[in-house]
Amino acid sequence: MTFLSVDAVNAKYDKVHVLHDLSISVRRSETVVILGANGAGKTTLLRSLTGMVPKVTGSIVLDGTELTGRRTEDIVRMGVAHVPQGRGTFAQCTVEENLRLGAYSVKQSKAELRAGMERVYELFPRLGERRGQQAGGMSGGELQMLAIGRALMLRPRLLLLDEPSLGLAPIVIAELFEILGTLRGQETTMLIVEQNADQALRLADKVYLLETGRVVFEGDPETVRSDESIRRVYLGAE
């Protein structure tokens, strides 16, 4: 059963038309990966899902509820957590304070808040070790882990990740995708925008390729891996 349905969505910034009649779907507990070159519209797609693009037409339905036209804060309360490029953590706050801020938008008891933190620390032991440290003194990989941990504090029904591996060292990327694999195993519904195709394809249940704001391919990751023309034209593979 479809959990997220994006149907014939068009998105504009002023007069710049970015998404053109774009349609995708995500099933509950599925990991869907969006691939494409810079400027393909991947980030705009995620921003459209969270109400951050001013001009969006078409239909975006989450579990039977229309999201188009709703405010970002209302979409967050409905269980959509967005980890943007650049991480967006609060540098002057500690790890634990950042996590608490992540839970701010939803009502949680002290026990639920504590359980949420313990889950994050179990997934990211390094964050547990640094819970009293200010985020501004952390590495890029640690900040990305903190950003994902903060999103998980919302207890999201849908987790959106925009280029989670951007700017990270290969060893950190491998560790990060291993953790995302754990989340997949826990049946977390995820929509991931990523340029690191090899890592993303190992994680994906379904793949979409975007080109200039349009879907040019929808299918399984094995097809993307095995089709040399797709890899050469859309993923830059030799």
Side-chain angles (χ1 to χ4, degrees):
M1 179 179 177
T2 298
F3 182 62
L4 173 71
S5 175
V6 178
D7 186 30
V9 163
N10 288 265
K12 298 180 180 180
Y13 296 102
D14 294 325
K15 296 181 180 179
V16 181
H17 195 161
V18 181
L19 301 182
H20 302 265
D21 292 326
L22 187 146
S23 298
I24 69 168
S25 65
V26 180
R27 296 170 66 88
R28 195 183 303 274
S29 303
E30 191 173 46
T31 296
V32 173
V33 169
I34 308 290
L35 300 175
N38 286 334
K42 305 185 302 295
T43 292
T44 298
L45 170 58
L46 296 193
R47 288 172 58 86
S48 297
L49 298 181
T50 51
M52 299 171 68
V53 179
K55 298 180 180 179
V56 174
T57 60
S59 177
I60 302 170
V61 177
L62 178 72
D63 200 19
T65 300
E66 180 67 54
L67 300 186
T68 309
R70 291 180 181 268
R71 300 180 304 170
T72 298
E73 52 266 39
D74 294 331
I75 294 172
V76 170
R77 291 191 187 98
M78 292 172 63
V80 180
H82 182 197
V83 181
Q85 288 186 36
R87 288 111 200 187
T89 52
F90 296 96
Q92 300 305 315
C93 294
T94 66
V95 167
E96 187 156 315
E97 287 167 343
N98 269 279
L99 294 178
R100 288 182 180 275
L101 287 168
Y104 181 75
S105 298
V106 293
K107 291 183 178 180
Q108 297 187 35
S109 68
K110 289 183 179 180
E112 289 171 331
L113 185 63
R114 187 164 53 250
M117 285 194 176
E118 289 308 313
R119 180 195 182 202
V120 171
Y121 292 147
E122 184 177 345
L123 282 167
F124 303 102
R126 208 173 307 172
L127 296 183
E129 296 167 3
R130 290 159 171 73
R131 66 181 70 191
Q133 180 179 333
Q134 287 187 334
M138 300 175 74
S139 69
E142 290 167 344
L143 287 174
Q144 185 62 282
M145 293 175 188
L146 179 55
I148 295 172
R150 192 176 63 181
L152 292 174
M153 291 297 293
L154 284 168
R155 294 180 296 170
R157 296 193 294 157
L158 174 65
L159 181 61
L160 309 177
L161 296 155
D162 193 355
E163 301 285 6
S165 74
L166 186 66
L168 302 182
I171 191 170
V172 179
I173 292 173
E175 181 182 0
L176 179 64
F177 272 90
E178 183 177 346
I179 294 167
L180 293 179
T182 298
L183 289 173
R184 180 178 181 267
Q186 295 173 350
E187 300 189 343
T188 305
T189 307
M190 294 187 286
L191 180 60
I192 304 174
V193 160
E194 183 55 71
Q195 286 196 359
N196 190 322
D198 289 335
Q199 288 284 3
L201 290 173
R202 294 189 187 102
L203 198 65
D205 296 303
K206 183 167 61 178
V207 180
Y208 289 93
L209 297 181
L210 300 192
E211 182 180 18
T212 60
R214 297 174 173 86
V215 173
V216 294
F217 171 84
E218 171 189 354
D220 62 90
E222 185 55 41
T223 300
V224 179
R225 289 192 199 96
S226 60
D227 191 313
E228 292 184 11
S229 63
I230 290 178
R231 293 182 63 84
R232 183 175 62 253
V233 174
Y234 297 111
L235 305 181
E238 296 296 332

